[in-house]
Amino acid sequence: MPAIQAGAAVLPAVQWSAAEVRAGAVHIDTLQPAPYHPRIDASAQIQSADTWLQQWSDLAAARARLQAAQAAWQLARLQARRAKGLFAAGQDVALATVQQAQTQAQQAQAQVQAARADERTALAAWRVRLGLALATRLALDAALRHALADGRAWIAALTLPPGQALPRAAQVRLRAPADDHNGRPVWLTATLIGTAPRASTQLQGLRYLVVVPAANGLLPGLRLDARVDATTAQQGVWLPAASVVWAAGRAVCFVAQPVAHGAYRFTARDVSTAWAADGGYVQTGWTAVQVVTRGAGLLLTPPPHPQPTAEGDDD
């Protein structure tokens, strides 16, 4: 990444002598690229299972009625076909009996159509309330349905910070309400389901649904801290926060280039603060670089004058 261009008039390259560097306590480190796993600090809220349990019951009942209606229609069709066949073969079956059987088959078919409409309505309500991802998962995963119904697992709505997107391969963890016996935080591994059915009116940012195992203190409505770690590492250079300064509305660091007689030339370089990690920022695509890691703010002011030595005072 090149040095600042638009801010060149405000932050021109500066050169300090070796004595000025020592007097200003400017510390320079060579930072090497390394693999880092992107992490996003997010939040999550435990969801109540009562609503979806009731809607699942309604959907299951609608599907049961459809299956019963289809079975009744199949039986009525067979009876109508049998009566028609016996009548055509000259058996002791009256025409009125054939017509009655056909009417019953038509009524059974109408009941199937009504039951199918009810099943579609229940399915649509189910998908609207839960979202397509969760509705599909619960419909296919009986073990998950039982775990949620029994209180062995919870659904949580994960909300990312504005402007953040979920990595393709991500590990989601939620912080349990209580720490362990040693006072350390307990992080529960969550399983990603998919996107949430609707945005939050209180929180901005993309929302997803996850499944988290039950733990002490988890109740519907509870908000938890969450972490999203990308499982795929990216190569980058980690800059400590002390190396980043703001000038002309831009985050920059100072790249140090040694010149003659121990002096250094310092050039401003744009810094991205999008990936915060462990008290600093990861810069993707950077190669090894010498950066001012302490005293960077001093480079925004004239260099300090070295204090005269005792020998110089005597002179």
Side-chain angles (χ1 to χ4, degrees):
M1 186 181 294
I4 299 178
Q5 299 299 325
V10 179
L11 292 176
V14 296
Q15 183 169 314
W16 283 21
S17 67
E20 290 170 342
V21 170
R22 290 193 299 269
V26 172
H27 192 76
I28 300 169
D29 284 314
T30 300
L31 304 180
Q32 300 286 347
Y36 294 93
H37 291 271
R39 169 176 293 177
I40 301 173
D41 291 326
S43 63
Q45 186 174 29
I46 302 299
Q47 306 295 297
S48 173
D50 293 343
T51 301
W52 76 259
L53 282 173
Q54 180 59 49
Q55 287 193 311
W56 173 257
S57 178
D58 295 342
L59 178 58
R63 286 176 170 170
R65 289 194 296 269
L66 175 59
Q67 291 177 352
Q70 289 173 331
W73 180 35
Q74 182 67 16
L75 178 60
R77 289 170 60 191
L78 291 175
Q79 291 175 341
R81 187 179 305 168
R82 180 177 179 274
K84 183 178 180 180
L86 292 174
F87 178 79
Q91 299 296 321
D92 189 16
V93 175
L95 177 61
T97 301
V98 175
Q99 294 174 339
Q100 182 180 8
Q102 291 175 337
T103 300
Q104 290 176 344
Q106 293 173 351
Q107 292 174 346
Q109 183 180 13
Q111 291 176 352
V112 168
Q113 294 173 345
R116 183 174 288 117
D118 291 342
E119 189 266 348
R120 288 175 178 172
T121 300
L123 180 60
W126 165 259
R127 289 177 174 175
V128 168
R129 179 65 182 84
L130 276 73
L132 182 59
L134 180 58
T136 302
R137 177 66 180 274
L138 289 178
L140 299 176
D141 193 340
L144 178 58
R145 291 200 307 271
H146 295 156
L148 293 171
D150 296 341
R152 292 180 284 112
W154 291 94
I155 296 292
L158 175 73
T159 303
L160 300 185
Q164 294 283 1
L166 193 71
R168 288 188 178 181
Q171 181 186 58
V172 180
R173 294 182 296 167
L174 308 185
R175 183 170 181 172
D179 295 338
D180 66 6
H181 298 297
N182 297 321
R184 296 172 301 187
V186 176
W187 292 91
L188 305 173
T189 300
T191 302
L192 180 66
I193 298 296
T195 55
R198 61 180 65 86
S200 171
T201 58
Q202 299 176 345
L203 300 174
Q204 300 298 316
L206 298 178
R207 299 178 76 238
Y208 300 85
L209 296 178
V210 298
V211 177
V212 63
N216 290 335
L218 291 186
L219 295 172
L222 181 67
R223 293 191 182 277
L224 304 172
D225 292 333
R227 286 181 179 175
V228 180
D229 293 299
T231 57
T232 303
Q234 295 185 24
Q235 200 78 0
V237 170
W238 178 79
L239 291 177
S243 66
V244 180
V245 295
W246 288 85
R250 305 165 74 168
V252 300
C253 68
F254 285 97
V255 176
Q257 180 182 5
V259 292
H261 308 297
Y264 278 91
R265 178 180 176 84
F266 300 105
T267 306
R269 183 173 183 177
D270 278 320
V271 169
S272 171
T273 58
W275 184 352
D278 301 325
Y281 306 97
V282 178
Q283 308 301 304
T284 57
W286 283 28
T287 57
V289 62
Q290 279 192 312
V291 174
V292 175
T293 55
R294 188 170 68 240
L298 297 174
L299 298 176
L300 300 175
T301 62
H305 296 290
Q307 296 296 322
T309 62
E311 290 79 2
D313 293 341
D314 293 338
D315 292 339

